[in-house]
Amino acid sequence: MGQQTLDELCEKIAGCETLAFIDVSTRMVLLKNAASPESQDFLNAMCREASFLLEGGATAMVTTKDRLKLFLRSEIEPTDVLCCICAVDTEIKELIPAAKDCLSAISTGD
């Protein structure tokens, strides 16, 4: 169910490159959807970045010239985090609510 929810979000959001559902307490990627295979080093770095950026917060966003990274912490399970890596021109007004819904659904098992 969680993988399907992640896959649906990736299909819905134009420019979505990688989605990862992370347990920050263990720094493990539990589910992912990626346009290209991601190395374990990349996934480990994403977990560390999520843990660092969300320390004491629920949302973080990082943009570079070609990528947008959105990190969301679950309101239900504080160790559950969704990381979205998208093209820099991704519509953020569409991404944030859809990503929150996705994270909530995975965290609750809906």
Side-chain angles (χ1 to χ4, degrees), residues 37-101:
E38 302 294 358
S39 71
Q40 191 60 48
D41 288 340
F42 177 86
L43 297 174
N44 291 343
M46 186 179 355
C47 291
R48 287 190 304 273
E49 187 174 16
S51 183
F52 175 76
L53 291 172
L54 292 176
E55 193 171 301
T59 305
M61 190 167 47
V62 176
T63 57
T64 63
K65 66 178 184 165
D66 59 346
R67 278 194 170 159
L68 175 140
K69 293 181 185 178
L70 175 68
F71 298 91
L72 299 172
R73 180 185 303 276
S74 172
E75 296 175 3
I76 300 156
E77 273 301 322
T79 61
D80 290 353
V81 169
L82 183 65
C83 173
C84 308
I85 301 176
C86 304
V88 73
D89 61 349
T90 299
E91 184 59 51
I92 196 75
K93 289 180 184 179
E94 182 182 355
L95 175 61
I96 290 176
K100 284 182 177 182
D101 289 346

Side-chain angles (χ1 to χ4, degrees), residues 2 8 11 13-14 16 19 25 40 42 68 77 84 87 97 99 101 107:
E8 289 170 359
E11 290 174 15
I13 303 297
C16 183
L19 295 173
S25 67
Q40 191 60 48
F42 177 86
L68 175 140
E77 273 301 322
C84 308
D101 289 346
S107 289

